[in-house]
Amino acid sequence: MEKIRHHLVERPSEEGLTFLIFYLKNMSPMEVIYFFCTVSKILDRRSAVALLAYLRHAQSRGIKCPRYAQRSLNYHVHMLNKRILKRIPSTLNRFVPEMKLFDFTETRERRGGEEARKEFDPFRFLIDLVFETLVKSSNIEIENTVQTYFHEKKEEEFPSPVSEAFSLIGKIRDPGAVDKGISRIVRTLSVEDSLETLMFIRKNERYSLSFFLYAYLLNKEVYKSMVDIILENKQYFKLDVIKCLVELDVKRIIPKITDESVDVLSYVIRERETHVKEIVEMISEEKVAIGREGLLEVFKENYGALKDYASYFRLSDQELIEISKSNDQALALTLESVESQEGMNSFVDLLKEKEDTVVVDLVKSLEDGPKKESLIQTILRRRAVKGQLRIYLLDNYLEDSRFMYALLPYLEKSDVYKYIPDYVVDSESLNVFLRIMECSELLIFVHRIPEVSKAIRILDLCFKSSKFGESDFLFTLTTLEKELPVLIVRTLLQTLVKFPNLKNFVVSFLSRVVRRNIWKQEEMVEGVIKCFEMIGAPATEMIAYLDSDSMAKVLGRSKELRDLCHEYLRKGGTNKRHGKTLRSVMGKLGNK
């Protein structure tokens, strides 16, 4: 084979062709056939002449060739003869008609000895025939050979009467006539026709319902046979087929359902509500070959029918949350399963994606108790409260001490002030209000609270809080200077205690206050006296400028201030008029 390919294909030459022709008698039958097949494809003018000479010689003397290869060899020789006719010079055309196929008879007759005297061997003949057939390159040739020797004829297949009847259905245009035709066909069907009927129905779904209905009414055996095939064959166990069944045997259908036919389970649950418990029990007993994901989808789609049987599905908290994402009706069931704050946080995070009306309806549906309280508290911490939800919570829970502090940020600032007197009770509650307003705003409002005891309680909390700075108290005092509320001097005193570096401000502020009409308010008088005592010597200047009654009130209640004034007078402080008043008051007080 390699030499043939080398001399004819890779390096073709006239010498190479001559060499191969000479070598032909030593080639195997397959090599000879390969030679003739190849040379016919690369044939040119010169090689055509050489081959013409060889073929005339070989045809006259015969050629040795096994029986199985003889026909194939002659086929290639025949094709080569045709090609040679087109390539050789016109002067040699007269030799071409004389070209014939190889005659192997002469060669066989020259065989001598035992081989020539062998009797006909049918088995050998069959083997030679098979080999000869397989050499052919054409499938048609093989088929013709088989038919020639074995007289096999392809039987013509005729459609069955049922198939012909089905084909006629599609040609009917009148719907009424179609139904009549189907009813007649169904009457003639046998159990053996069930599969063919289903195949027709699958290809022509518009006739499905009619076929199943008439089969159920007119040919029950065929109907049962088709149902059996449907239940045992995935190809037909489809929702569009199941929908056409007149009867649904739950016990037979449910075990056949898989992930590929999970839609059938949803359909059966919807259509057989009276059997829902039975279906759920079969699911619980793992008689349905559906994965967890498929079961969750079924539960989502049929929540209304399955919610009372949720325990059969053994749903986890996370699975319930996944179900609730697409089904608002499942929120109550999901909330019922929440048992920890972490679970409540996850549940409220789910509510972030829900409309306000959905959340409001959920809260309304709950009875008062720890679960409802935890839900509202978590909503206020983790979910934006606005719109209808804000209105509902403010209207129903603002006066509830459990939720009041959490609801304050959702009030208008002007509405928050009225809750300060009663609900600022400790540092934590104070911080709640400070998230809504500035420190100075709260201080100013507290000074205006009519109930002094409540105001004092809140002011004490403010002075203890690290959130209040110098600027807050300075701004408050400056703002309230014209009003002079009852506790302003007390605040001034506490400011001095907390911020000693503000002594100059306190002295300046107090000097303006004592000139005001404050001496009839005992609370303020007590505060002024304490301030005088704290600032020490600078207070004597302010005392000296007071009228005699006010001066008497101050000095009569504080020995410390009287001592300061004695020292002040001894050093010759103040002018004559004010000094005279101070000496007069001091004289009246004597050694008190």
Side-chain angles (χ1 to χ4, degrees):
M1 294 287 189
E2 293 181 359
K3 289 183 178 180
I4 295 172
R5 184 167 55 251
H6 175 76
H7 290 295
L8 294 183
V9 180
E10 296 176 359
R11 300 185 66 181
S13 65
E14 191 173 351
E15 292 78 7
L17 178 61
T18 304
F19 167 77
L20 291 174
I21 291 174
F22 178 78
Y23 186 69
L24 267 174
K25 60 183 179 181
N26 296 323
M27 290 184 185
S28 68
M30 296 303 297
E31 289 175 331
V32 172
I33 292 173
Y34 179 68
F35 168 78
F36 282 114
C37 179
T38 305
V39 80
S40 65
K41 294 178 180 178
I42 56 96
L43 196 66
D44 58 13
R45 189 180 183 88
R46 289 186 177 182
S47 59
V49 174
L51 285 169
L52 176 63
Y54 167 74
L55 290 174
R56 283 179 59 81
H57 172 74
Q59 288 166 351
S60 63
R61 298 191 60 182
I63 186 171
K64 290 183 179 181
C65 183
R67 184 176 180 80
Y68 67 83
Q70 290 175 5
R71 179 173 291 190
S72 178
L73 179 58
N74 268 336
Y75 168 77
H76 290 292
V77 170
H78 174 67
M79 299 302 296
L80 185 59
N81 286 340
K82 290 183 177 182
R83 292 178 180 273
I84 289 174
L85 178 61
K86 296 178 181 179
R87 300 289 192 280
I88 60 175
S90 57
T91 55
L92 299 177
N93 284 348
R94 60 189 178 87
F95 296 106
V96 175
E98 300 175 4
M99 299 291 290
K100 299 179 181 179
L101 300 179
F102 285 151
D103 184 5
F104 304 102
T105 305
E106 183 180 349
T107 305
R108 289 198 300 271
E109 288 177 351
R110 287 201 296 268
R111 293 176 185 171
E114 289 184 9
E115 186 177 355
R117 292 193 297 272
K118 280 186 179 179
E119 296 181 359
F120 174 73
D121 185 353
F123 185 69
R124 181 67 184 176
F125 171 78
L126 180 61
I127 292 176
D128 289 345
L129 182 61
V130 171
F131 272 117
E132 181 181 353
T133 303
L134 293 177
V135 171
K136 303 301 180 184
S137 59
S138 170
N139 291 334
I140 297 176
E141 186 72 11
I142 294 174
E143 184 177 355
N144 290 337
T145 303
V146 173
Q147 290 180 2
T148 300
Y149 286 93
F150 296 97
H151 305 287
E152 289 187 359
K153 294 184 179 180
K154 194 173 183 180
E155 294 184 2
E156 187 176 358
E157 295 183 1
F158 295 96
S160 66
V162 174
S163 299
E164 288 187 340
F166 288 157
S167 64
L168 291 174
I169 289 292
K171 299 178 182 179
I172 302 175
R173 295 290 178 264
D174 182 12
V178 170
D179 275 356
K180 289 181 181 179
I182 291 175
S183 66
R184 291 175 182 174
I185 292 173
V186 167
R187 287 189 180 95
T188 64
L189 294 177
S190 64
V191 173
E192 289 74 17
D193 300 322
S194 301
L195 180 58
E196 187 174 355
T197 304
L198 282 174
M199 293 172 64
F200 174 77
I201 290 173
R202 285 293 290 162
K203 294 179 181 178
N204 302 272
E205 294 181 1
R206 61 185 183 278
Y207 304 129
S208 300
L209 188 59
S210 297
F211 264 100
F212 281 110
L213 179 59
Y214 284 118
Y216 181 79
L217 296 174
L218 305 175
N219 198 333
K220 205 65 172 286
E221 290 185 359
V222 171
Y223 177 84
K224 291 180 179 179
S225 176
M226 288 195 294
V227 171
D228 291 340
I229 294 173
I230 291 169
L231 294 178
E232 297 301 328
N233 195 318
K234 291 183 179 180
Q235 179 182 354
Y236 302 109
F237 193 76
K238 305 291 184 182
L239 179 59
D240 54 348
V241 176
I242 298 297
K243 282 182 176 180
C244 298
L245 297 181
V246 181
E247 288 183 337
L248 289 178
D249 189 341
V250 171
K251 291 184 178 180
R252 293 187 66 193
I253 291 177
I254 298 301
K256 301 296 182 181
I257 296 174
T258 64
D259 285 318
E260 297 177 359
S261 54
V262 69
D263 51 350
V264 174
L265 179 58
S266 292
Y267 173 76
V268 174
I269 291 172
R270 291 193 300 270
E271 295 298 316
R272 293 293 184 270
E273 292 185 0
T274 56
H275 295 276
V276 169
K277 185 176 181 181
E278 182 181 359
I279 294 170
V280 169
E281 288 175 348
M282 294 177 73
I283 293 173
S284 177
E285 294 169 3
E286 298 183 354
K287 292 183 179 179
V288 183
I290 298 179
R292 194 65 181 170
E293 186 176 346
L295 282 177
L296 291 179
E297 287 299 321
V298 171
F299 193 88
K300 287 180 186 178
E301 294 176 8
N302 304 278
Y303 178 78
L306 299 176
K307 62 181 179 180
D308 295 333
Y309 305 98
S311 59
Y312 287 86
F313 289 84
R314 295 185 285 275
L315 300 168
S316 66
D317 292 347
Q318 191 58 42
E319 287 174 337
L320 284 169
I321 287 176
E322 287 298 320
I323 292 170
S324 299
K325 285 182 179 179
S326 57
N327 193 330
D328 295 341
Q329 294 179 346
L331 288 172
L333 178 64
T334 304
L335 178 60
E336 186 179 341
S337 70
V338 173
E339 296 180 352
S340 64
Q341 185 57 49
E342 183 180 357
M344 185 63 75
N345 291 343
S346 299
F347 179 75
V348 172
D349 289 342
L350 166 66
L351 295 182
K352 293 177 182 179
E353 304 172 5
K354 302 295 182 181
E355 297 290 336
D356 290 343
T357 52
V358 174
V359 182
V360 170
D361 291 340
L362 176 64
V363 176
K364 285 181 178 179
S365 67
L366 299 176
E367 296 182 359
D368 286 333
K371 183 83 72 173
K372 186 174 185 178
E373 179 181 351
S374 177
L375 174 63
I376 296 175
Q377 293 283 15
T378 309
I379 288 174
L380 292 171
R381 285 198 309 271
R382 299 180 70 90
R383 188 189 188 278
V385 178
K386 54 186 179 180
Q388 295 185 35
L389 178 60
R390 172 182 173 274
I391 295 171
Y392 172 77
L393 292 177
L394 289 176
D395 289 346
N396 293 274
Y397 298 100
L398 182 59
E399 302 302 327
D400 191 326
S401 59
R402 296 174 299 172
F403 311 113
M404 194 278 298
Y405 292 107
L407 286 170
L408 282 176
Y410 301 102
L411 287 172
E412 296 294 335
K413 186 184 290 187
S414 57
D415 295 327
V416 174
Y417 286 111
K418 66 180 180 181
Y419 294 97
I420 293 176
D422 295 321
Y423 290 97
V424 178
V425 294
D426 53 26
S427 58
E428 185 176 352
S429 58
L430 175 64
N431 290 335
V432 173
F433 284 88
L434 291 179
R435 287 197 290 268
I436 305 168
M437 59 184 65
E438 299 293 335
C439 294
S440 57
E441 291 177 323
L442 186 139
L443 283 170
I444 292 170
F445 176 80
V446 171
H447 281 86
R448 293 168 177 166
I449 294 175
E451 298 178 58
V452 176
S453 60
K454 292 182 179 180
I456 290 174
R457 182 192 71 230
I458 297 171
L459 287 172
D460 288 343
L461 291 172
C462 294
F463 277 102
K464 292 177 182 178
S465 173
S466 60
K467 294 183 180 294
F468 291 82
E470 291 182 9
S471 59
D472 297 315
F473 292 105
L474 290 175
F475 181 81
T476 300
L477 291 168
T478 305
T479 303
L480 295 174
E481 184 177 349
K482 292 182 179 180
E483 297 180 33
L484 287 182
V486 174
L487 296 177
I488 191 169
V489 177
R490 184 178 185 276
T491 300
L492 183 67
L493 177 62
Q494 287 181 297
T495 302
L496 180 59
V497 172
K498 187 170 184 177
F499 307 105
N501 57 307
L502 296 179
K503 183 176 180 180
N504 291 335
F505 170 80
V506 172
V507 171
S508 175
F509 186 87
L510 193 60
S511 65
R512 295 192 297 273
V513 170
V514 296
R515 293 187 176 92
R516 305 276 295 276
N517 186 22
I518 64 169
W519 301 104
K520 293 181 180 181
Q521 302 179 47
E522 286 299 321
E523 296 88 349
M524 296 190 72
V525 172
E526 289 294 332
V528 168
I529 293 172
K530 289 181 179 179
C531 283
F532 283 161
E533 290 176 346
M534 286 193 66
I535 62 178
T540 56
E541 287 285 344
M542 288 183 276
I543 294 172
Y545 280 87
L546 296 176
D547 60 75
S548 58
D549 292 337
S550 301
M551 192 181 295
K553 280 186 178 182
V554 172
L555 296 177
R557 298 181 185 183
S558 174
K559 184 177 184 304
E560 181 180 346
L561 293 177
R562 289 198 300 273
D563 293 340
L564 286 173
C565 288
H566 277 300
E567 184 65 22
Y568 175 75
L569 292 173
R570 188 180 66 79
K571 292 181 178 180
T574 194
N575 57 38
K576 291 182 179 180
R577 184 172 66 85
H578 293 294
K580 184 178 179 181
T581 304
L582 180 58
R583 287 189 180 90
S584 173
V585 172
M586 291 288 290
K588 291 179 181 179
L589 293 174
N591 294 324
K592 289 183 180 180

